[in-house]
Amino acid sequence: MAFAIPRTTALTRSLARSFASLHNVPPPNKSPTAIVMMNMGGPETVSETQDFLKNLFSDGDLIPLPFQRVLAPLIARRRTPQIEKQYQDIGGGSPILGWTKLQGEGMAKLLDELHPATAPHKAYVAFRYVRPMTEQTLAEMKADGVKRAIAFTQYPQYSCSTTGSSLNEIFRRGRAGNAGDIEWSVIDRWGTHPGFVEAVAQNIEAALAKFPASTRKDTVLLFSAHSLPMSVVNRGDPYILEVSASVSAVMDRLGHSNPYRLVWQSQVGPSAWMGMQTGKALEGLARLGKKQVVLVPIAFTSDHIETLYEIDLEYAEEARAHGIKVHRAESLNGSPVFIRALADIAAQHLKDCGAGKGPVSTQFGLRCPGCVNTTCGQQKTWFSRGGR
């Protein structure tokens, strides 16, 4: 799928750079400080879909299955035709790699100015289920001579199923020596960061502006996040709490201008998942006489199949069938406010590390009360020691 980089104006470049200014130039041949942008990923082309699904269903951290090694390839093969059609319907593949590269490059340039002591900075993309996968990315970092790296989750809210899975994979590969001798630290959650909140709020305001001023205040804001199996929720995973905190922070920024709810999407399989589901919520709002809705992807920072197909095509069609006029708040994608937020998060993390506050957050060290995954405990210990 071709990915078009949006043009930036002098104004947006100025907004992104904010007050940053370049004072120091790193010495030549200095190895870069790696900012490893972790995410699930998505197939850039339709032909990659089956391998993507096989890797996804093989990950017990994300979707726990009995007889996983046997069932995962079977489920992937059965679902491939349907998912291939969905990727065809959104243009032939996922744009998430293009957006992540754009965000990472913008962030790294700002970081060189915001924190010159650790410059040059280089963003690396590490996807969990499709190229560039973690193993490939670590090999690239080793070839670049990287000695210092930040594992920077691109999931704003922490879950063992997403961020935890990516960190487990870095831990397994790193402990095996695949990345060389690297000092690691972790940015594990940032769902209430003011820059993230501001970027989301601005996109909501833009969507609200598409409704008539006379009825705008009655528009329902429906925050939609990827659901989790209840088996994960019930062992104490913090994701539900952290998504809720993001929604609360955004509504505070908006001055609680509109009624709102948090709902959940992308359930897979027959087991119980967190609800209520986004489609059911739209049906219920129609029954209650609500005629205007803004759908807000609160846990997705870049467009991919969950936004472009599930929200824009499936849910929008369902809403129209129920007599609801719906607009979606744009994903953060190339937002200069969001890219600046990423740079600010990373810069503050580097400052904290330099001040002796340690390589991980206080919350990072606490495992879910119901956790029985030994890799999780080992991974947390490894990162808390800087990858040693």
Side-chain angles (χ1 to χ4, degrees), residues 129-141:
Y129 309 118
V130 71
R131 63 180 178 85
M133 295 183 71
T134 304
E135 184 176 11
Q136 298 169 266
T137 300
L138 294 180
E140 180 185 355
M141 290 165 56

Side-chain angles (χ1 to χ4, degrees), residues 31 52 59 77 84 94 100 109 147 156 178 180 213 239 257 260 269 276 296 300 321 334 347 350 361 365:
S31 65
F52 169 74
D59 183 6
R77 189 158 52 246
E84 283 182 337
S94 172
T100 306
K109 288 177 182 177
K147 300 298 182 186
N178 293 13
Y239 174 74
S257 59
Y260 70 98
M276 105 179 288
V296 184
F300 308 116
L350 286 164
S361 68

